[in-house]
Amino acid sequence: MLIKTLSVGEMETNCYVVTNENTLHAVVIDPGDESNTILDYLEDNHLHCDAIFLTHGHFDHVGAVAAVAEETGAVIYLNRQDDAAVRRSFHFPFSLPSDGKNYQDGDRIEAAGMTFEVMETPGHTPGSVCLKVEDALFTGDTLFRGSCGRTDLDGGSMDDMMQSLKKICSLEGEFEVYPGHMEATSLLRERLFNYYCRRAMEN
């Protein structure tokens, strides 16, 4: 498994291309902007994009979804709670197309020859999810290096965030953490040094 980080858009959102190196099939996580950058990477590396996974529905994580999906034919996945048809808010501009799929807690999705497990982690948004594949954990805007996502926007909840961080930190094993913004980290580091994680584990 190869993980490529593409920083896209004014918000410098981390878009991840997760590739099965044996098959050259890939999954794109959070194509937030700059569809040409994402598509060029896929084309330059001769990759076939099988699926697009969205960690949540905020505009800076979904801006290039339609263009990437149209060009690649990839299936789009989003938790229903962040679908624009449900939220009806400026902060949630994306509605799943008719051939898109809602995913929820505990779903195991086979894509590009890899198995992705969905964890619902509300707090930043009602429909935020994290995605586990092998020893990688994609946390969107739930968990950052040394911090967590803001909860003061529409649909946010600090109580939910604390429960979600506790759920993440209670995972068995060690994971490399790939957040929606800023640099990657490890779950071990966040358990030890992240104030919000330590607070969540105390409750």
Side-chain angles (χ1 to χ4, degrees):
M1 181 176 73
L2 175 68
I3 299 171
K4 173 66 175 180
T5 306
L6 301 172
S7 180
V8 297
E10 293 183 2
M11 303 292 287
E12 296 184 341
T13 300
N14 289 332
C15 169
Y16 297 103
V17 181
V18 185
T19 300
N20 183 332
E21 295 178 276
N22 293 323
T23 65
L24 295 185
H25 282 244
V27 165
V28 173
I29 299 175
D30 288 351
D33 203 349
E34 299 179 34
S35 60
N36 286 342
T37 298
I38 300 166
L39 292 169
D40 285 349
Y41 176 80
L42 294 171
E43 182 178 359
D44 290 347
N45 291 277
H46 310 289
L47 303 178
H48 183 276
C49 179
D50 291 353
I52 297 170
F53 294 150
L54 304 176
T55 62
H56 63 291
H58 279 166
F59 71 93
D60 58 319
H61 289 253
V62 305
V65 176
V68 174
E70 181 178 2
E71 185 68 24
T72 64
V75 179
I76 306 168
Y77 291 81
L78 173 70
N79 184 280
R80 183 175 182 275
Q81 291 301 316
D82 278 9
D83 195 311
V86 174
R87 298 255 62 87
R88 301 185 184 282
S89 164
F90 165 79
H91 296 289
F92 300 87
F94 182 74
S95 289
L96 270 175
S98 59
D99 58 349
K101 296 185 178 181
N102 289 303
Y103 52 15
Q104 58 190 355
D105 197 61
D107 283 352
R108 295 173 64 88
I109 300 169
E110 301 289 336
M114 299 173 285
T115 302
F116 293 79
E117 185 174 343
V118 180
M119 295 175 56
E120 290 183 352
T121 52
H124 181 62
T125 68
S128 287
V129 303
C130 294
L131 299 160
K132 290 191 299 177
V133 55
E134 299 182 14
D135 62 352
L137 181 66
F138 298 91
T139 58
D141 287 3
T142 299
L143 175 62
F144 298 127
R145 181 183 174 95
S147 188
C148 67
R150 60 189 296 183
T151 60
D152 59 333
L153 298 175
D154 179 35
S157 166
M158 181 55 76
D159 288 342
D160 287 347
M161 178 64 77
M162 288 295 103
Q163 289 301 312
S164 292
L165 292 175
K166 183 174 183 178
K167 181 177 181 179
I168 292 169
C169 290
S170 298
L171 288 171
E172 294 184 1
E174 296 305 328
F175 293 87
E176 293 299 310
V177 173
Y178 297 89
H181 301 273
M182 300 180 289
E183 67 268 32
T185 182
S186 70
L187 191 53
L188 175 60
R189 183 190 189 281
E190 300 315 304
R191 288 186 186 117
L192 291 174
F193 301 116
N194 187 317
Y195 164 78
Y196 297 98
C197 289
R198 295 176 65 179
R199 176 181 160 193
M201 292 297 289
E202 291 171 356
N203 297 326

